Amino acid sequence: MTALHPAPPEVVEYAPGKLMDVHRPAGGEGPSPVVLLWHGRGPDERDVMRPLALAAAELGLLVLVPDWRSDEKDGGRAHLLASFEYARRHAAAHAGDPDRFVLAGWSLSGREAVALATHPDTPAELRPTAAVGIASSYERPAVTTGESPLAFLSAHPSPVPVRLVHGTRDELVPADRSRELSTALAARGSHHLLEPDSDHAGVILTEFDPAVARCVPAKADHAVRAGLATARVLADAARLA
């Protein structure tokens, strides 16, 4: 089994100097379900998400992947919110269906995706129809909302479906972090956690290469299987609406 290698995506500017990859669905005539997919802590690493974005596009999704920088003074808040607003306002221009819109994030940004999708201050006309958190933790306050999504969802029902993915081999962020949020969601009637047999990088169809200190497209079977499973979670979440 080998990893998928994406074709070059269309690139747009969602804010001055900030780029976003647009992965169009294979054979889709539109409008297609939309996924806004945020990368992790590394600055401007939208390329890291390309294997997962391609796999999701193969399932019929329009996938938007922006660069953003967590090392900014605001923790990346402005970039995340600008990419979110761009995706919500312009999805239709990219042949996307704004009524089937998933906000998803990996690692650090998984917390941001879940927080923003479920927070009461998110305007109703912009709220995603579902959220997916991938290999993240949820107890700390999100930079987008200033609140802990775990604390909020332990006390309030989620306004949208939330799906979680976390590899059982993850040594960077223990799977217990997603299990905590899963338990909180289950107590209020919403629960779905996928735990593939893979690690932190594998769940996005990548593997960490120490030579370049970066995640690269996966070759290991466990990572390919896990990444493809995550793509199916994104597709299922996009069709929940």
Side-chain angles (χ1 to χ4, degrees):
M1 186 180 294
T2 58
L4 293 168
H5 295 276
E10 179 186 353
V11 180
V12 299
E13 190 176 60
Y14 72 84
K18 302 308 296 179
L19 301 180
M20 173 184 287
D21 287 346
V22 179
H23 297 266
R24 297 187 180 276
E29 297 181 357
S32 302
V34 183
V35 176
L36 175 60
L37 180 60
W38 287 335
H39 66 72
R41 183 183 299 275
D44 293 341
E45 287 191 344
R46 73 185 193 278
D47 60 293
V48 167
M49 308 303 292
R50 284 178 187 168
L52 177 59
L54 173 68
E58 289 282 338
L59 296 176
L61 306 179
L62 172 70
V63 187
L64 310 176
V65 187
D67 274 337
W68 70 282
R69 298 188 67 98
S70 66
D71 56 356
E72 293 284 349
K73 289 183 179 180
D74 65 355
R77 182 177 188 273
H79 292 159
L80 292 172
L81 293 179
S83 70
F84 174 65
E85 183 169 355
Y86 175 93
R88 288 307 267 148
R89 302 291 189 195
H90 298 281
H94 296 293
D97 181 356
D99 292 328
R100 293 179 292 169
F101 184 100
V102 174
L103 180 57
W106 170 63
S107 196
L108 176 64
S109 69
R111 175 168 67 244
E112 301 302 328
V114 171
L116 188 59
T118 60
H119 198 271
D121 288 347
T122 298
E125 68 274 15
L126 296 181
R127 189 180 301 283
T129 52
V132 178
I134 307 166
S136 192
S137 60
Y138 304 92
E139 71 277 7
R140 294 181 181 177
V143 299
T144 49
T145 66
E147 295 189 25
S148 158
L150 177 60
F152 179 79
L153 292 170
S154 294
H156 305 87
S158 175
V160 299
V162 177
R163 300 293 181 257
L164 306 173
V165 180
H166 213 125
T168 57
R169 303 189 199 180
D170 196 328
E171 296 182 351
L172 186 61
V173 181
D176 281 348
R177 302 290 79 81
S178 286
R179 292 169 186 151
E180 292 170 346
L181 184 59
S182 178
T183 298
L185 292 167
R188 296 185 172 275
S190 178
H191 171 248
H192 190 281
L193 168 62
L194 176 68
E195 296 189 60
D197 179 25
S198 192
D199 55 18
H200 195 69
V203 292
I204 59 162
L205 239 172
T206 67
E207 53 196 43
F208 184 74
D209 184 350
V212 295
R214 198 176 186 88
C215 291
V216 298
K219 296 179 181 178
D221 284 355
H222 73 85
V224 174
R225 287 193 299 269
L228 294 178
T230 301
R232 290 191 293 271
V233 171
L234 294 174
D236 289 344
R239 297 183 177 105
L240 286 173

